[in-house]
Amino acid sequence: AMHKGLVIKYNCNQRYATTMISTYHLISIAKDNNLPLQKFVVKNSMPCGSTIGPILSTRCGIRTVDVGCPQLSMHSIREQMGVKDVATSTELFKLYFQQFPTIDANLKCD
């Protein structure tokens, strides 16, 4: 939904690079700073596009989260998106880079 925050994209067929571990930081920062965040899950029975996220994550060995701003009519001549989503996404990215080291130091994974 437009004007409701950045969207984290999930796909069980790994067409997106998002994992539960890689989203932990982003979700924590958004929650701690009262920034809106949405989740989008593609059903495994439906084909979807892919991003460069899985390739980057595999080749570079970095944790990756596929995110984007909600859009109406993507790739059309009348593509639209909400101004609020750009502002809150920019703030979230800024806070992510500032707070990542602290949150990551406290993350324990088995």
Side-chain angles (χ1 to χ4, degrees):
M2 289 194 288
H3 298 293
K4 305 251 180 176
L6 191 69
V7 177
I8 299 174
K9 300 183 290 184
Y10 296 91
N11 180 265
C12 67
N13 295 324
Q14 298 181 332
R15 301 286 290 175
Y16 304 132
T18 305
T19 66
M20 295 310 294
I21 293 172
S22 68
T23 59
Y24 169 77
H25 302 83
L26 198 65
I27 292 170
S28 296
I29 292 166
K31 185 177 178 182
D32 292 346
N33 293 280
N34 296 316
L35 291 170
L37 197 59
Q38 303 179 72
K39 295 177 183 176
F40 176 74
V41 179
V42 177
K43 294 195 300 186
N44 67 354
S45 61
M46 294 180 62
C48 69
S50 185
T51 66
I52 63 168
I55 295 167
L56 289 175
S57 181
T58 302
R59 292 189 180 164
C60 298
I62 57 174
R63 288 172 281 178
T64 308
V65 181
D66 272 308
V67 296
C69 285
Q71 298 177 31
L72 177 65
S73 304
M74 186 175 182
H75 302 303
S76 80
I77 60 170
R78 293 181 182 87
E79 185 174 310
Q80 300 175 26
M81 63 186 294
V83 175
K84 280 184 178 179
D85 294 327
V86 175
T88 57
S89 297
T90 302
E91 182 65 16
L92 181 57
F93 291 144
K94 183 181 86 175
L95 291 166
Y96 182 85
F97 286 108
Q98 291 172 350
Q99 298 177 13
F100 179 88
T102 305
I103 293 174
D104 194 53
N106 295 321
L107 178 63
K108 304 289 184 243
C109 298
D110 290 337

